[in-house]
């Protein structure tokens, strides 16, 4: 990678210099009486590296009429870039001491392979910064000033909708910047005096969201849902909570996949940047050529890095499986969406390779049951808040579970995947009845796609990666040519005492 910073320099004198330097002065930017220049590449292990602030912002779609000061004609510059940098300079002068800045527009090199290596090393860059300054759009300046004054009482539904309108949380890089930053600050462009510490933003805005939810509930709006009304703010609160309560070592690949995909639009922006951000969220090492340069597929790079750190939780993706012999457990690529995007915990899915497959550690190995047991059904319906269904047939509880999963974003594959199912399960035989769900003694397993129960070999449930209501899992299906793997969702009680290592 190539590591450069915007560093302060003395402001050039307007008077003629009778003794001009032998070489021309390097290009520079002068904003708010501060002149910055781009440093030469800095040694990664240098003890004299200045403290620096990483600046995070939305580029926007409007180009700047000002050419790039360091790479003119090569790298575009956004109309927001210089105003954002000016805001950062003024905010620094107000209360913080970092002497230099890292800003992607200026500090990411233009040429390859340095550019790719630097983008792969964003985790390194952000984890070593003294702070991350998040510059939101001008429209939120008034709200941030209220937050900066320390009182959440003046933050109501109208103010929350102003914050919701800012697109920063939907950026592809947002999660890794928060996950790796030591300290966060929020400020609005052009409003440097409204500087808000990340913890204060989290507490005050989060408190305001809960007050609005309670007020709406008391007012008879029973269907009011914070996640639906404020999807961007809700996801930001989830990310901040994760950053404050989860140490770096406890951040699984599955958690990273979940946060990256919950923001929806991020994956459509640029698939390479999407995976660079995923890589940076799981690794804070600089790219020094240690990664396999032949891995042109960024999804493959991400999975290889996860395997090297002994975290195989990426297997709980809804992407199709690898067709290579002994790799049917492994996603074949794509954008690796999680089987279900819900807040998860657990450090990793540990595993080790074996001839012809992989040993997954601490798994439950189960077989379908005709019905759920009493306690399993009771716990499931307690989670769903549907106790009135207890005396009804188990199929009613199963359909209610699938309806809740669908409401929260799970999409069970149905035709036009029929031809794939024909090939996968029956080939030359007539397709038998397919099950949308499978009963287990302690709950319910919902596969990504309906399956023929007679062909199911076993159901594997994770105990190291969890949701509050259950865990991701895999189902092994006996096909005509091999055992196939289909991911799915277990809703019920995870009995960790029965966990074991299983070969798939």
């Amino acid at each position: 990678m190539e590591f450069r910073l915007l560093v302060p320099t003395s402001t050039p004198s307007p008077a003629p210099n009778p003794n001009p330097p032998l070489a021309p002065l390097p290009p520079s930017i002068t904003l708010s009486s501060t002149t910055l220049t781009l440093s030469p590449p800095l040694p990664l292990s240098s003890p004299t590296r200045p403290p620096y602030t990483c600046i995070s912002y939305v580029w926007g779609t409007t180009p700047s009429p000002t050419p790039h000061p360091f790479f003119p004609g090569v790298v575009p510059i956004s109309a927001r870039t210089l105003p954002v940098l000016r805001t950062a300079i003024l905010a620094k002068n107000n209360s913080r001491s970092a002497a230099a800045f890292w800003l992607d527009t200026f500090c990411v090199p233009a040429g390859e392979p340095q550019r790719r290596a630097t983008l792969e090393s964003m985790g390194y860059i952000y984890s070593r910064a003294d702070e991350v300054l998040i510059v939101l759009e001008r429209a939120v300046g008034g709200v941030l000033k209220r937050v900066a004054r320390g009182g959440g009482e003046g933050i109501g539904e109208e103010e929350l909708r102003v914050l919701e309108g800012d697109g920063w949380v939907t950026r592809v890089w947002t999660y890794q910047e928060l996950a790796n930053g030591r300290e966060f600050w929020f400020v609005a462009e052009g409003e440097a005096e409204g500087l808000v510490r990340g913890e204060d933003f989290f507490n005050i805005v989060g408190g305001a969201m809960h007050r609005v939810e309670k007020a709406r509930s008391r007012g008879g709006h029973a269907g009011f849902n914070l996640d639906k009304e404020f999807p961007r703010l809700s996801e930001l609160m989830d990310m901040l909570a994760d950053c404050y309560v989860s140490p770096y070592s406890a951040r699984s690949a599955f958690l990273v996949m979940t946060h990256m995909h919950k923001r929806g639009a991020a994956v459509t922006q640029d698939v390479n940047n999407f995976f660079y951000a995923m890589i940076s969220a799981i690794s804070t090492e600089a790219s020094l050529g240690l990664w396999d340069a032949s891995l042109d597929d960024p999804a493959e790079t991400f999975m290889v890095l996860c395997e090297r750190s002994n975290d195989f939780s990426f297997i709980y993706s809804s992407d199709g499986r690898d067709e290579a012999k002994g790799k049917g457990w492994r996603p074949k690529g794509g954008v690796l969406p999680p089987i279900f995007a819900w807040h998860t915990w657990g450090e990793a899915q540990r595993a080790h390779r074996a001839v012809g497959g992989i040993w997954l550690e601490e798994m439950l190995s189960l077989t379908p049951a005709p019905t759920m047991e009493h306690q399993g059904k009771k716990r499931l319906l307690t989670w769903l808040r549907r106790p009135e269904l207890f005396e009804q047939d188990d199929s009613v509880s199963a359909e209610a579970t699938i309806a809740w999963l669908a409401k929260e974003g799970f999409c069970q594959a149905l035709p036009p995947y029929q031809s794939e199912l024909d090939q996968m399960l029956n080939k030359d035989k007539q397709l038998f009845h397919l099950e949308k769900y499978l009963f287990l003694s302690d709950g319910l397993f919902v596969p990504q796609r309906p399956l023929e129960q007679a062909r199911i070999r076993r159901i594997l449930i994770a105990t190291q990666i969890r949701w509050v209501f259950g865990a991701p899992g895999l189902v092994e299906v006996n096909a005509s040519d091999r055992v196939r793997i289909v991911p799915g969702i277990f809703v019920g009680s995870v009995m960790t005492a029965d966990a074991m290592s299983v070969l798939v």
Side-chain angles (χ1 to χ4, degrees), residues 76-395:
I77 182 172
S78 160
R80 289 201 69 209
T81 300
L82 294 181
V84 161
L85 180 56
R86 181 183 293 108
T87 301
I89 291 169
L90 293 174
K92 177 187 76 68
N93 292 341
N94 282 350
S95 61
R96 301 187 327 285
S97 59
F101 298 100
W102 190 92
L103 185 63
D104 56 0
T105 305
F106 300 135
C107 299
V108 174
E112 299 291 0
Q114 294 88 348
R115 180 180 179 277
R116 172 176 174 170
T118 301
L119 291 174
E120 289 174 341
S121 305
M122 298 290 270
Y124 172 92
I125 293 167
Y126 272 77
S127 67
R128 286 156 178 80
D130 286 50
E131 58 200 2
V132 176
L133 181 66
I134 299 157
V135 184
L136 303 180
E137 297 171 2
R138 286 181 178 271
V140 306
V143 179
L144 283 186
K145 285 181 181 179
R146 295 187 188 184
V147 176
R149 288 195 290 266
E153 291 74 15
I155 309 298
E157 187 169 342
E158 181 179 348
E159 288 74 21
L160 292 177
R161 295 202 183 280
V162 172
L163 291 173
E164 175 71 19
D166 191 281
W168 175 80
V169 74
T170 65
R171 293 170 62 251
V172 72
W173 294 103
T174 294
Y175 178 66
Q176 83 82 18
E177 292 169 354
L178 288 178
N180 289 313
R182 299 181 189 177
E183 186 175 21
F184 326 120
W185 295 82
F186 289 85
V187 71
E189 179 188 322
E191 301 283 354
E193 65 275 13
L195 193 65
V196 179
R197 188 183 297 271
E199 289 184 46
D200 296 333
F201 184 96
F202 176 66
N203 291 327
I204 293 173
V205 175
M209 292 175 72
H210 287 296
R211 284 196 302 275
V212 167
E213 185 176 39
K214 288 178 64 176
R216 283 293 203 110
S217 298
R218 287 195 303 267
H221 299 272
F224 184 81
N225 185 306
L226 274 177
D227 291 344
K228 299 294 187 294
E229 291 289 326
F230 303 104
R232 291 176 174 178
L233 273 181
S234 296
E235 173 59 12
L236 177 56
M237 293 297 113
D238 285 348
M239 287 192 291
L240 288 171
D242 172 50
C243 295
Y244 286 130
V245 304
S246 299
Y248 173 78
S249 60
R251 192 182 309 136
S252 70
F254 189 73
L255 175 64
V256 172
M257 290 157 55
T258 296
H259 276 302
M260 293 295 289
H261 283 271
K262 278 178 72 176
R263 291 175 295 119
V267 69
T268 66
Q269 294 171 18
D270 184 307
V271 69
N272 287 327
N273 281 343
F274 180 81
F275 275 103
Y276 290 148
M278 293 252 284
I279 289 166
S280 296
I282 62 167
S283 172
T284 58
E285 299 302 314
S287 177
L288 299 173
L290 300 178
W291 303 346
D292 190 344
S294 67
L295 298 177
D296 292 331
D297 180 2
E300 182 65 20
T301 302
F302 176 77
M303 290 189 288
V304 167
L305 287 173
C306 292
E307 291 173 6
R308 290 180 183 177
S309 63
N310 194 16
D311 178 9
F312 289 74
S313 60
F314 61 84
I315 65 174
Y316 304 118
S317 166
S318 60
D319 275 334
R321 303 292 119 170
D322 198 319
E323 291 291 326
K325 185 177 180 180
K327 288 189 174 182
W329 53 271
R330 200 172 190 270
K332 63 183 178 182
V335 294
L336 297 179
I339 185 64
F340 190 54
W342 189 272
H343 183 71
T344 179
W345 76 88
E347 183 175 337
Q349 173 61 65
R350 302 301 184 193
H352 54 276
R353 296 285 191 133
V355 176
I358 187 174
W359 283 95
L360 294 174
E361 299 177 9
E362 300 296 315
M363 302 290 291
L364 299 178
S365 179
L366 307 171
T367 55
T371 60
M372 289 182 282
E373 291 185 357
H374 177 93
Q375 287 300 322
K377 182 176 181 179
K378 183 177 180 180
R379 282 189 287 262
L380 183 146
L381 293 177
T382 298
W383 163 252
L384 290 178
R385 298 181 181 179
R386 299 292 303 276
E388 74 277 7
L389 302 181
F390 186 76
E391 299 299 331
Q392 298 188 41
D393 188 82
D394 284 2
S395 62

